[in-house]
Amino acid sequence: SAVISQKPSRDICQRGTSLTIQCQVDSQVTMMFWYRQQPGQSLTLIATANQGSEATYESGFVIDKFPISRPNLTFSTLTVSNMSPEDSSIYLCSVVTGKYYGYTFGSGTRLTVV
Amino acid sequence: QQQVKQSPQSLIVQKGGISIINCAYENTAFDYFPWYQQFPGKGPALLIAIRPDVSEKKEGRFTISFNKSAKQFSLHIMDSQPGDSATYFCAASGRGGSTLGRLYFGRGTQLTVWP
């Protein structure tokens, strides 16, 4: 399965600022996903990022708030813009590898907005 | 709308006992059903997964039981150990339409195994 390096692992940010999270994969993958996990909650899909096309956002998530880049088949970034305390969550990237939809997750970015 | 429903929300089991977590789904387009284990401060890690062409899959102490007609699947942890204490998520994914390539997660079960 793929190995994902996600950075930063955690950050404490001031409200109104932005944070960019990086996701680096050790192999080329077509589909990359960004999830949010609010404290004590399940994982919610933010968007799907495919190389060469605009990211597809889920209901409740918009590009202005969570812009995503996917410059190549091994890398993606998620930016959390104009942060508020409600954005305090763990953000995770995930990739699909293999014939039978083997999903791998990064270790996550724990974001605290103060 | 919760595509995958998971229960119980929390579970306390004595060491050596059997932990059972249940999930149900509605969308018949789902054809891949993984279970993830998550420890505090870590991302979810794939534990075991099943496809609907089999009714059971076993890996070590972990077994998935799958009932296609009832649209239910469950995780059984045999001989539960304190190191199994974690949050467990069931999930589902499919090959077509809106299910293509994305995982739908249950709400999670916090398992505590007492020594």
Side-chain angles (χ1 to χ4, degrees):
Chain A
S1 61
V3 176
I4 300 175
S5 174
Q6 188 173 337
K7 291 190 239 186
S9 59
R10 60 177 62 225
D11 208 340
I12 300 174
C13 300
Q14 297 289 325
R15 70 173 64 203
T17 63
S18 298
L19 176 71
T20 295
I21 303 167
Q22 299 180 2
C23 182
Q24 178 75 52
V25 190
D26 69 344
S27 58
Q28 294 185 337
V29 294
T30 302
M31 304 182 81
M32 295 183 74
F33 305 88
W34 287 97
Y35 287 84
R36 181 177 73 181
Q37 186 177 25
Q38 294 177 301
Q41 302 297 315
S42 186
L43 287 80
T44 301
L45 182 65
I46 297 171
T48 302
N50 293 330
Q51 196 267 336
S53 62
E54 293 289 325
T56 303
Y57 289 83
E58 297 296 306
S59 176
F61 298 96
V62 295
I63 187 171
D64 289 346
K65 176 67 175 177
F66 298 101
I68 288 171
S69 78
R70 181 84 200 273
N72 57 53
L73 291 173
T74 64
F75 187 77
S76 178
T77 67
L78 170 76
T79 299
V80 186
S81 304
N82 188 25
M83 289 184 285
S84 67
E86 291 70 36
D87 295 319
S88 297
S89 294
I90 298 173
Y91 292 86
L92 300 122
C93 67
S94 174
V95 301
V96 178
T97 60
K99 183 179 180 181
Y100 294 110
Y101 289 111
Y103 293 85
T104 303
F105 283 85
S107 56
T109 297
R110 183 179 294 271
L111 170 63
T112 302
V113 184
V114 297
Chain B
Q1 181 187 4
Q2 189 74 16
Q3 294 256 10
V4 179
K5 297 181 180 179
Q6 182 174 347
S7 63
Q9 188 173 354
S10 63
L11 182 60
I12 300 174
V13 174
Q14 201 152 17
K15 178 181 176 182
I18 302 174
S19 304
I20 301 175
I21 305 170
N22 300 300
C23 285
Y25 66 98
E26 287 297 325
N27 194 333
T28 55
F30 290 147
D31 70 345
Y32 175 73
F33 303 90
W35 284 89
Y36 284 85
Q37 180 188 57
Q38 186 178 32
F39 293 104
K42 302 291 186 182
L46 179 64
L47 190 62
I48 187 172
I50 197 169
R51 295 198 167 270
D53 53 344
V54 297
S55 60
E56 186 176 282
K57 183 175 182 180
K58 183 176 181 179
E59 291 184 1
R61 296 184 294 110
F62 301 92
T63 299
I64 299 178
S65 296
F66 186 82
N67 186 329
K68 188 174 181 178
S69 60
K71 290 185 280 188
Q72 296 175 346
F73 58 109
S74 60
L75 175 69
H76 296 235
I77 305 174
M78 311 300 287
D79 187 26
S80 298
Q81 299 296 311
D84 296 331
S85 297
T87 300
Y88 292 80
F89 294 96
C90 62
S93 183
R95 295 178 185 266
S98 62
T99 68
L100 179 62
R102 61 163 293 180
L103 282 170
Y104 293 83
F105 283 88
R107 291 190 183 276
T109 296
Q110 187 160 351
L111 172 64
T112 302
V113 181
W114 289 100

